[in-house]
Structures are given as C-alpha cells and as structure tokens.
Amino acid sequence: MSEYISPIDDLILKVMPELDAFIFKHFGNKVLQGPFCGMQIPQVPIWQDGNNSAKLLGTYEIELASSIEKAIARNPGTIINIGCAEGYYAIGFAMRLPGARVYAIDINKHSLNMCADYAAINNVADRIQYVQVAEDGRLKFEL
C-alpha cells in the first residue's frame, strides 16, 4: 500500500479542520439532513479525514442514502457495524431502528469510548453493545 498523499488530499486535510469548525459554529452539532437527521455528532471525531462537515450537512452518506432507507424499511432486529469509529452509522441506525440491537465493533478503544459517549447523548446507549477487536484480529462476541 502506498504512503503517497496527493496534493489535493494534502490540501483537503489542511483545510477541512477550519471548515469543520466554521460549519459547526454556525449550525451546531446535529446532522441537518439525510438518513440520520437530528443525530448529534462530535465536532472532533477520532479519525481526522476531512469528512465531519459532510456528516453534519447530511451528505456524507449521500451515495448510500437509498440503501440505508431500504435497510431501515426491512426493520432488522440486529445491526452490526464493523469499524464503527465514533459511531456515525451505529448510532444513526440505533436512532432509526428503535427495536434493533446494534453492535459497534472497532479495534480502537478510543473510538468505542467516543461511540459510547455519543450514543448516550443521542439516547441510544442502552441498545448498543461495544465490541473491541483483539490485537490478533479475532472478534469474539455473541449475538
């Protein structure tokens, strides 16, 4: 895998923190539109990839919006989010599917902690189980 970062990627990573701060200052921390509208998200996520403003504006999952709505319409009893990071999808699905049990899985303990904090803020913590992947990559949990 290449360590090369294109000039555009480099520019985005430099500009986005300031843009994120501006957008959060003017709009608050609730997702404005899209499948997870109304969800509160952290201004500074675990992964600084330049996507936080897109999440807040409701455009982060725009390509997946119809698939997300179809999944929600099926009303599954279980959602498994592998690589949950700060919990954007885990929390969003828990909010939209109040009868579902959600498994938020990540290798990074700080990600799981942030996910738990924001699940509590969004009043869905009681329906999310947080699972940390072992360092050897093994995943152990029961549905």
Side-chain angles (χ1 to χ4, degrees):
M1 182 192 240
S2 172
E3 295 294 323
Y4 173 75
I5 296 178
S6 75
I8 291 175
D9 290 339
D10 187 50
L11 177 64
I12 288 169
L13 291 172
K14 288 178 183 173
V15 171
M16 288 310 294
E18 288 182 41
L19 182 58
D20 283 350
F22 176 84
I23 289 173
F24 273 80
K25 179 180 177 182
H26 286 84
F27 294 109
N29 73 330
K30 288 187 179 181
V31 175
L32 299 172
Q33 64 181 4
F36 305 133
C37 184
M39 178 173 63
Q40 294 182 63
I41 62 171
Q43 182 171 343
V44 181
I46 291 294
W47 305 110
Q48 292 294 335
D49 57 4
N51 288 321
N52 221 33
S53 294
K55 290 176 182 176
L56 182 66
L57 296 173
T59 59
Y60 178 69
E61 72 289 334
I62 199 162
E63 298 89 356
L64 301 174
S66 65
S67 296
I68 289 170
E69 292 300 338
K70 287 177 187 174
I72 290 167
R74 290 191 348 241
N75 198 27
T78 302
I79 298 289
I80 299 174
N81 180 195
I82 298 175
C84 68
E86 74 279 355
Y88 185 76
Y89 288 105
I91 295 165
F93 276 108
M95 289 177 66
R96 293 289 307 275
L97 294 163
R101 182 76 177 153
V102 177
Y103 294 86
I105 303 167
D106 207 290
I107 197 166
N108 185 299
K109 183 176 182 173
H110 298 295
S111 292
L112 292 169
N113 290 339
M114 183 174 275
C115 181
D117 290 346
Y118 273 84
I121 288 168
N122 285 284
N123 299 311
V124 295
D126 60 326
R127 292 185 295 104
I128 299 178
Q129 181 174 336
Y130 310 95
V131 181
Q132 185 172 5
V133 176
E135 285 187 29
D136 65 3
R138 292 181 187 217
L139 180 61
K140 293 183 179 180
F141 72 100
E142 293 182 23
L143 293 176

